[in-house]
Amino acid sequence: MRLEIGNFYVREIVFGDTLKFEQGILTINKEAALDFIREDERITEAELYIAKPGDDIRMCPVKEAVEPRVRPDGRSAFPGYVGELEQAGEGMTYALKGCSVLVVGRHWGGFQDGIVDMSGEGQKYTLFGELQNVVLVADTNEEFEKREQQKKNDALRRAGHRLAEFIAGCVKDLEPEEVENFDLEPIIKRAAEIEKLPSVVYVMQPQTQMEEMGYNTLAYGWDMNHMVPTYMHPNEVLDGAIISGSFMPVSSKWSTYDYQNCPNLKALYQEHGKSINFLGVIMSNLNVALEQKERAAIYVAQLAKSLGADGAIVAEEGYGNPDADFIGCYVALEDAGVKTVGVTNECTGRDGQSQPLVTLDEKCDAIVSCGNVSELIELPPMKVVLGELEALGRDGFSGGWADDEILGPSVRPDGSIIMENNSMFCGDRVCGWSTKTMKEF
């Protein structure tokens, strides 16, 4: 399966009369884009903004991030979700690099929504503070979930994907600046020199804990709570087959942008044929009941062993209850003779003294930490707030609170904030973006 991604590098985004891309400048006709968004009758209020690195802008509650993409042959960039169900992972896809579509709620954030700062101390906490962003701030008629801690955010998430494909349409007939090639041979038909290398599989554990449909990560539009772990070609993950869900404390979240650009996958591709034999992806899930967790771990270990994996990397979206899936999968792989490395964040409390994962095992002796979700962060006010900063100051918002007997409210009268790292949108970057490091004292 061969995937080609034609890249167009966005150096600046402006509003203008015509949707176009010229010499690194992406021009968007705001009214035409908003008219397109409003075709979904659930969108009751919508506005577009531009947020670039260095701007005195804070966004909250951020719900989704998507890289603008389009397929020149007319297939949907997000098959089975906002377009017809087609095979992803092969052929040509065009991508606008260095930018994203950020979806921000006009009101009422929740457990899975977060913050992005475009400058100052807060900028470093998320990847999206470094990008050129088209920001959709919108509200919907989904009254039933506004005051709920857990939100499907369906209208807003779909609006972001539709807008990303709409914007990328301007490069459909252009020649990309560069083309990235992702070509992985069938597993049983590889050259002898590749077969001699250690075989490695990447195990992804997206958030799929909700039994009710609409919250979980999607594979080709299908709710992954209804799946057992399966093999996927890495090209499918990079090419829009996986859509981010809306269930996870937000610093732990994997946005659709993370799937489209997953650095861990790209690093494994780069080492394929050099230091490793990259087998592909075991796409697992996260469950609630113990039996479901054990079943998934059995599937993952069986798949890895059947594929002939010598080693595995397991990446977990989330913490808390999902730690049991993460550790269970890790142990099952080790028991199957597959040397395993885990990648996750940890919840060690505001003082850093609590147990990092809900459950642990002595066999899990190679875990990469992406940081402490409970670490306290204080940030000064910003001149511009897109969305509703007060969302952070409600109990139930990931990492924020209405009031604390010691720390006071998360949102202070002057617009400065105090919160846990939990509130940073996709801030722990488990897919491989993280610039954090460990220090020993």
Side-chain angles (χ1 to χ4, degrees):
M1 186 176 284
R2 180 180 176 86
L3 171 66
E4 296 179 296
I5 300 182
N7 293 328
F8 299 80
Y9 286 90
V10 176
R11 296 164 181 83
E12 186 178 1
I13 304 175
V14 298
F15 290 128
D17 295 332
T18 306
L19 175 62
K20 62 182 180 179
F21 179 81
E22 290 181 348
Q23 298 180 338
I25 300 175
L26 173 62
T27 302
I28 299 172
N29 183 316
K30 181 192 288 191
E31 288 309 313
L34 287 172
D35 287 343
F36 178 74
I37 291 301
R38 294 181 185 121
E39 289 176 4
D40 186 337
E41 295 180 354
R42 296 176 297 172
I43 303 294
T44 58
E45 181 182 346
E47 186 56 85
L48 285 181
Y49 302 89
I50 296 166
K52 61 182 185 296
D55 285 347
D56 204 347
I57 292 176
R58 174 167 292 150
M59 290 168 273
C60 175
V62 183
K63 297 173 180 288
E64 173 65 301
V66 189
E67 182 172 77
R69 291 192 179 184
V70 68
R71 289 198 173 96
D73 64 4
R75 292 178 297 148
S76 173
F78 308 104
Y81 181 57
V82 296
E84 294 294 322
L85 182 59
E86 302 271 2
Q87 176 71 60
E90 59 184 3
M92 176 67 81
T93 293
Y94 286 170
L96 296 178
K97 309 302 290 187
C99 72
S100 81
V101 171
L102 288 180
V103 182
V104 179
R106 180 64 187 87
H107 304 288
W108 298 102
F111 188 59
Q112 63 287 72
D113 306 324
I115 285 180
V116 172
D117 276 4
M118 296 306 301
S119 62
E121 173 68 13
Q123 182 186 19
K124 70 183 182 184
Y125 285 97
T126 78
L127 170 71
F128 304 98
E130 305 167 20
L131 301 181
Q132 304 280 334
N133 299 296
V134 180
V135 185
L136 171 64
V137 181
D139 198 12
T140 78
N141 63 5
E142 296 163 314
E143 297 290 334
F144 65 93
E145 69 174 18
K146 278 191 174 179
R147 289 170 173 79
E148 294 294 322
Q149 180 191 41
Q150 189 61 53
K151 296 174 173 57
K152 295 180 181 180
N153 286 327
D154 184 67
L156 294 178
R157 289 160 58 211
R158 288 180 187 269
H161 288 82
R162 292 179 65 240
L163 179 59
E165 194 166 16
F166 175 85
I167 289 172
C170 67
V171 301
K172 191 173 183 179
D173 298 319
L174 303 180
E175 288 295 320
E177 297 175 46
E178 69 171 13
V179 176
E180 291 182 276
N181 296 304
F182 301 93
D183 193 1
L184 198 63
E185 319 93 303
I187 292 171
I188 63 170
K189 296 181 179 179
R190 295 184 176 173
E193 59 268 22
I194 294 178
E195 291 282 358
K196 293 177 182 178
L197 298 171
S199 297
V200 178
V201 68
Y202 187 47
V203 182
M204 303 185 77
Q205 294 182 308
Q207 247 321 313
T208 53
Q209 288 184 287
M210 294 293 280
E211 293 185 355
E212 182 181 344
M213 295 184 73
Y215 296 96
N216 297 311
T217 304
L218 304 175
Y220 287 102
W222 186 257
D223 193 303
M224 290 183 62
N225 179 266
H226 296 177
M227 295 172 59
V228 293
T230 188
Y231 176 85
M232 288 190 74
H233 197 288
N235 290 4
E236 295 177 284
V237 180
L238 295 171
D239 194 34
I242 305 296
I243 301 298
S244 172
S246 187
F247 177 75
M248 181 34 52
V250 74
S251 72
S252 307
K253 184 181 177 70
W254 298 346
S255 68
T256 297
Y257 188 101
D258 288 293
Y259 289 110
Q260 292 172 299
N261 293 279
C262 182
N264 287 340
L265 276 181
K266 290 187 175 183
L268 289 165
Y269 245 119
Q270 289 172 357
E271 290 303 311
H272 177 63
K274 299 175 184 176
S275 63
I276 63 169
N277 176 12
F278 179 33
L279 299 176
V281 176
I282 296 176
M283 189 61 68
S284 187
N285 49 17
L286 296 169
N287 306 281
V288 175
L290 181 59
E291 181 181 292
Q292 295 169 346
K293 297 175 186 292
E294 291 173 342
R295 181 181 297 113
I298 289 170
Y299 263 95
V300 168
Q302 176 271 123
L303 281 165
K305 194 171 182 178
S306 298
L307 291 169
D310 299 307
I313 299 170
V314 180
E316 171 194 15
E317 182 186 11
Y319 68 93
N321 184 289
D323 291 344
D325 302 75
F326 175 69
I327 296 298
C329 180
Y330 195 133
V331 170
L333 285 164
E334 287 283 343
D335 287 344
V338 180
K339 294 184 181 298
T340 303
V341 172
V343 186
T344 183
N345 57 15
E346 52 187 302
C347 184
T348 55
R350 292 177 183 177
D351 60 1
Q353 299 299 309
S354 299
Q355 180 171 308
L357 302 177
V358 167
T359 182
L360 291 166
D361 190 285
E362 62 183 10
K363 294 176 184 176
C364 304
D365 58 0
I367 295 179
V368 178
S369 171
C370 297
N372 175 17
V373 301
S374 303
E375 179 185 354
L376 281 175
I377 298 171
E378 293 190 62
L379 298 174
M382 288 283 193
K383 288 182 181 178
V384 177
V385 174
L386 300 182
E388 182 185 56
L389 187 59
E390 289 75 11
L392 175 66
R394 297 191 183 105
D395 293 331
F397 191 94
S398 184
W401 56 83
D403 196 19
D404 181 276
E405 61 182 12
I406 297 174
L407 300 171
S410 275
V411 180
R412 295 160 174 161
D414 65 352
S416 63
I417 56 178
I418 182 170
M419 60 188 184
E420 294 182 349
N421 176 65
N422 247 332
S423 293
M424 286 299 180
F425 180 75
C426 301
D428 294 325
R429 312 189 195 187
V430 176
C431 283
W433 304 101
S434 183
T435 57
K436 295 176 184 176
T437 187
M438 301 294 292
K439 289 186 178 180
E440 186 173 336
F441 295 93

